[in-house]
Amino acid sequence: MENSTGVPRLPFKNRLFNAIGVLQGPVLAIIGSIVVGGIIILVSGRNPFEAYWAMLKGAFAGERLINLAATLNRAVPIVGMGLAAAIPLKAGLFNIGGEGQMVLGGFSAALIAIYLPIPDAIMLPVVLVSAAIVGGLYALLAITIEDRFNVPLLIATLLLNYPARLLTTYFVKNQFRDTVTAANQTLPVPAAARFALLTTGSMLNTGIFIIISLIIISALVIHRTVPGYNLRMAGLNRRFAIYGGVDIRMLEFKIMFLSGAVAGIVGAVVVLGVFYRYVDMSLTAPAYAWVGLMAAILSRADPLGVALAGFIFSAITTGGYGMERDTSIPREMSVFLQALIIMFMAVRTSFQLKRKTR
Amino acid sequence: MEAFFASLNANFLNSLFRFATPVLLAALGGILCARVGVFNIALEGMMLTGAFTAVAGEYYSGDPWIGVLSGCLGAAVLALIYAILVITLKGNEVVVGIATNLFASGLTTFLLPAMFHVKGKFFDPRLVGLSNIKIPVLHELPFLGPLLSGQTVLVYLTWLLYILAGIMLFRTALGLRLRGVGEQPLAAATLGVKVNAFRYMAVLLSGIFCGLAGAQLSVGIVNVFVQDMAAGRGWIAVVAVLLGQANPLGVFITGVFFGLADSLSLQLQGVGLAPQFTEMLPYLVTLLVFGLVRARQKHPRSALAN
């Protein structure tokens, strides 16, 4: 029983226990935040059970499961950005510049689809690949700054978010604004560049399959291939990976490019599947990158775990709207619940992780 | 160009320290943490929490000074949580720091509609804010007058705190022990220095300073609370600490430099440059300066992972 990395696989029973052990932290974190959130609802003079019931209905129920479709649709960018954060995190790198990479990817996707004469048949792939390259290059810029100028990656990635956001806002307000409409947005993208809707009544579209494929591919690469093994080794013990002959700098450049590429694709998927144009703030206001980062931390950077955690975070946000409608508790409660989960998770991992950065 | 130089007037000079102060205060907390060996990247979240609780405190009490105090208190509570996670539970500083920042953002986003029934921005005529102090004689001088006079008390307090921090760190036994905790924790512990007590103290003080920073931002400058109004200033403070190598003088100079970039960005808007480009300035300048200064130093990740 060996897989391609040559490491013997554990018997099924052990793997099952490992899985339960891994899940224990996130589950406890979610339960803890539900309890604390419930206490706060109780203190504010409302019934927590009613509130959570409204939230559940808001997230999953509705006529023809329309709320579930909305939850899935929101999960697409969250899970995608979670994956963009998880790939470097698994290797011990913090890319907190996903937002900038996503924004530039989404914006360039819109521009390329609108202004370049691309045949319909290859439109979607060309636009997606371009968005991936733009996002990837922006992430490469961050690690190049680290490599050349010794700016810690954490800080380089974070600070690069702001110019990307401001730059796209500038362009979408000026050169590339659709002057027919009052909003700050580009022209609509041609029909060939749009993902098809999957339901009526929600914006859930075929773009979800792009994200699902990315999750499956990354899970396979990380757990079943030699580069994936090197990546995990770099995260577990950087020096060991170097002693093992891994060209760690090269590996880290590749990882950052892939991370940025995923973020760029996520931006493109939202632009081409939901708005059909680039709308100013549409990618940054919902904080997809940050909720995705939380999903990556919660799942300890495991691709399949990111999908689950991202889905849960999405359900909390979508459910928040239902809660606001039914109980008048502000839907920002869901942002707080997510923040609580991540804080509890920090407590849990604090018990388990050693201080790596010291 | 002429309009640009004409705009380098009293307003510009006056805004320099107004904008530099939040970064300077947060960075002072960062200095203490760095000196005891805690890489505190939660300054941003603490500043944001301080800005919120400061506005809330002033709104409910009607007194901006109660606002400043509650700003410190709010940020200190968050700092205490951070300290427990990082020092007692030995959590990964980067993970806990990011979590703390996200928590602060989520908490204030939720409390804004829950307490004040508004979204995104809170403004009320009851918020009068801190008054600016006019220093006699100095106030009338050209250049120095607008630069140094007419600031909130927090600005002057910041200068005093930097001087005190410099003296404390390098001229007192307390400072020696504090530095020892960061540089040789084992040796310090062997000599009977309570390592964790020093670390808790440093993190709590950084919370209080970030509370002051948040208060300067909300009740000191604009008298409103805007969602995520720290806008990366806590991160710029982290950069200032790294650049100034946790030395109060070096960090002060770096912080003032960022204040310069911030107020310059406001001035450039006045002469017709697109606001998006001028707002980029502080972040780009930060990266550029960091790059120029640090290019010859050790690789950051190897420095962190010693």
Side-chain angles (χ1 to χ4, degrees):
Chain A
M1 287 247 285
E2 287 196 348
N3 58 24
S4 59
T5 53
V7 180
R9 286 179 67 179
L10 294 165
F12 177 73
K13 201 176 131 195
N14 293 22
R15 277 195 285 149
L16 187 71
F17 279 122
N18 281 350
I20 292 171
V22 169
L23 279 179
Q24 197 188 2
V27 168
L28 285 178
I30 291 169
I31 292 173
S33 67
I34 287 174
V35 171
V36 172
I39 292 170
I40 286 172
I41 295 172
L42 199 64
V43 168
S44 68
R46 275 162 288 203
N47 184 336
F49 294 102
E50 268 174 38
Y52 283 132
W53 182 243
M55 192 176 231
L56 273 177
K57 277 195 299 181
F60 302 113
E63 206 177 316
R64 287 173 294 120
L65 295 179
I66 209 68
N67 295 348
L68 178 63
T71 295
L72 281 173
N73 187 41
R74 192 188 305 275
V76 166
I78 294 176
V79 171
M81 291 313 294
L83 184 64
I87 293 170
L89 193 58
K90 199 84 192 164
L93 301 174
F94 284 90
N95 175 11
I96 54 175
E99 191 163 89
Q101 296 143 21
M102 167 180 62
V103 161
L104 288 185
F107 184 65
S108 50
L111 290 192
I112 289 164
I114 296 165
Y115 295 105
L116 290 189
I118 302 166
D120 284 2
I122 55 163
M123 176 65 108
L124 260 181
V126 168
V127 172
L128 285 176
V129 169
S130 327
I133 292 173
V134 171
L137 287 179
Y138 203 56
L140 273 189
L141 176 64
I143 194 163
T144 308
I145 288 175
E146 185 202 51
D147 199 51
R148 286 293 143 89
F149 303 115
N150 283 332
V151 180
L153 187 62
L154 184 79
I155 288 163
T157 51
L158 180 103
L159 289 180
L160 283 177
N161 280 334
Y162 295 93
R165 257 160 53 174
L166 292 165
L167 196 69
T168 49
T169 297
Y170 173 77
F171 281 132
V172 86
K173 274 188 171 175
N174 296 287
Q175 286 84 343
F176 299 108
R177 199 169 86 90
D178 180 0
T179 46
V180 177
T181 63
N184 293 319
Q185 52 189 21
T186 63
L187 295 167
V189 297
R194 299 179 185 185
F195 287 106
L197 289 178
L198 289 171
T199 60
T200 44
S202 86
M203 291 309 291
L204 183 64
N205 57 77
T206 48
I208 192 173
F209 299 120
I210 303 276
I211 302 300
I212 292 174
S213 334
L214 287 178
I215 289 283
I216 294 171
I217 293 168
S218 343
L220 288 177
V221 169
I222 288 177
H223 293 294
R224 293 276 184 277
T225 67
V226 174
Y229 174 80
N230 290 343
L231 181 148
R232 280 182 290 141
M233 207 43 60
L236 290 169
N237 191 334
R238 197 163 183 270
R239 276 186 206 161
F240 178 76
I242 296 170
Y243 285 129
V246 179
D247 182 354
I248 200 107
R249 268 335 259 174
M250 196 60 210
L251 181 72
E252 286 173 350
F253 270 78
K254 285 178 190 161
I255 288 168
M256 282 304 286
F257 181 80
L258 285 177
S259 167
V262 171
I265 291 174
V266 174
V269 165
V270 176
V271 166
L272 307 177
V274 178
F275 298 104
Y276 305 136
R277 51 171 108 215
Y278 186 86
V279 185
D280 189 30
M281 310 279 283
S282 61
L283 297 174
T284 50
Y288 292 136
W290 297 102
V291 181
L293 179 66
M294 289 199 250
I297 292 176
L298 185 65
S299 65
R300 302 239 213 106
D302 181 81
L304 296 179
V306 167
L308 183 62
F311 180 75
I312 291 171
F313 280 131
S314 167
I316 291 173
T317 308
T318 314
Y321 284 86
M323 186 170 71
E324 187 173 65
R325 228 172 14 244
D326 293 359
T327 67
S328 79
I329 296 170
R331 68 181 143 82
E332 282 74 9
M333 180 77 197
S334 48
V335 186
F336 178 60
L337 277 179
Q338 292 169 342
L340 267 179
I341 292 176
I342 212 61
M343 215 55 190
F344 273 108
M345 195 59 199
V347 179
R348 280 291 305 178
T349 45
S350 297
F351 279 119
Q352 292 151 350
L353 278 174
K354 275 192 173 174
R355 288 199 218 192
K356 266 191 191 167
T357 48
R358 180 58 50 77
Chain B
M1 215 55 200
E2 206 173 304
F4 174 72
F5 282 114
S7 73
L8 288 175
N9 51 16
N11 273 335
F12 169 73
L13 293 170
N14 195 246
S15 66
L16 203 156
F17 275 109
R18 210 164 51 222
F19 286 117
T21 298
V23 172
L24 284 175
L25 280 166
L28 188 61
I31 292 175
L32 293 180
C33 289
R35 287 289 176 184
V36 296
V38 174
F39 180 47
N40 187 350
I41 58 163
L43 299 174
E44 173 93 358
M46 293 178 192
M47 197 195 289
L48 180 65
T49 309
F52 181 84
T53 49
V55 161
E58 193 194 339
Y59 177 76
Y60 287 119
S61 71
D63 184 344
W65 284 105
I66 304 280
V68 172
L69 276 181
S70 71
C72 292
L73 193 68
V77 169
L78 192 67
L80 181 65
I81 298 173
Y82 174 86
I84 293 171
L85 291 178
V86 166
I87 300 166
T88 304
L89 300 177
K90 299 197 189 325
N92 179 302
E93 288 151 324
V94 176
V95 171
V96 176
I98 290 174
T100 309
N101 289 335
L102 292 170
F103 179 74
S105 173
L107 182 72
T108 51
T109 305
F110 165 63
L111 288 180
L112 204 55
M115 286 168 65
F116 304 119
H117 311 288
V118 290
K119 298 197 175 192
K121 193 174 187 178
F122 175 63
F123 166 76
D124 192 276
R126 255 191 279 179
L127 298 174
V128 290
L130 297 172
S131 51
N132 295 328
I133 295 176
K134 289 192 173 122
I135 303 172
V137 186
L138 183 68
H139 193 73
E140 308 304 323
L141 293 177
F143 187 77
L144 285 182
L147 181 68
L148 303 177
S149 175
Q151 307 281 359
T152 66
V153 179
L154 294 181
V155 172
Y156 304 118
L157 180 67
T158 306
W159 301 348
L160 184 68
L161 285 172
Y162 264 86
I163 295 168
L164 288 179
I167 295 171
M168 190 274 287
L169 277 174
F170 300 113
R171 293 277 180 276
T172 66
L174 185 73
L176 185 69
R177 289 193 196 116
L178 191 141
R179 284 182 290 134
V181 165
E183 283 164 28
Q184 296 290 344
L186 265 180
T190 314
L191 292 172
V193 177
K194 290 197 172 63
V195 171
N196 278 0
F198 269 90
R199 289 192 170 147
Y200 263 94
M201 224 40 194
V203 173
L204 280 180
L205 279 174
S206 82
I208 291 170
F209 293 154
C210 285
L212 290 175
Q216 165 73 4
L217 216 51
S218 60
V219 301
I221 302 181
V222 284
N223 278 325
V224 292
F225 179 82
V226 185
Q227 198 176 314
D228 289 321
M229 77 184 301
R233 287 189 180 83
W235 287 99
I236 290 182
V238 173
V239 175
V241 174
L242 289 171
L243 269 180
Q245 302 192 317
N247 187 321
L249 182 63
V251 175
F252 190 86
I253 292 168
T254 323
V256 169
F257 190 76
F258 295 135
L260 191 74
D262 229 354
S263 44
L264 194 66
S265 115
L266 211 68
Q267 285 302 307
L268 288 169
Q269 263 176 59
V271 296
L273 215 69
Q276 288 85 17
F277 286 116
T278 62
E279 278 170 38
M280 260 181 234
L281 206 66
Y283 310 104
L284 293 180
V285 165
T286 304
L287 275 174
L288 195 74
V289 174
F290 203 125
L292 292 176
V293 175
R294 295 262 297 191
R296 281 163 213 285
Q297 291 175 7
K298 258 207 308 190
H299 189 273
R301 222 177 294 136
S302 60
L304 282 175
N306 60 34

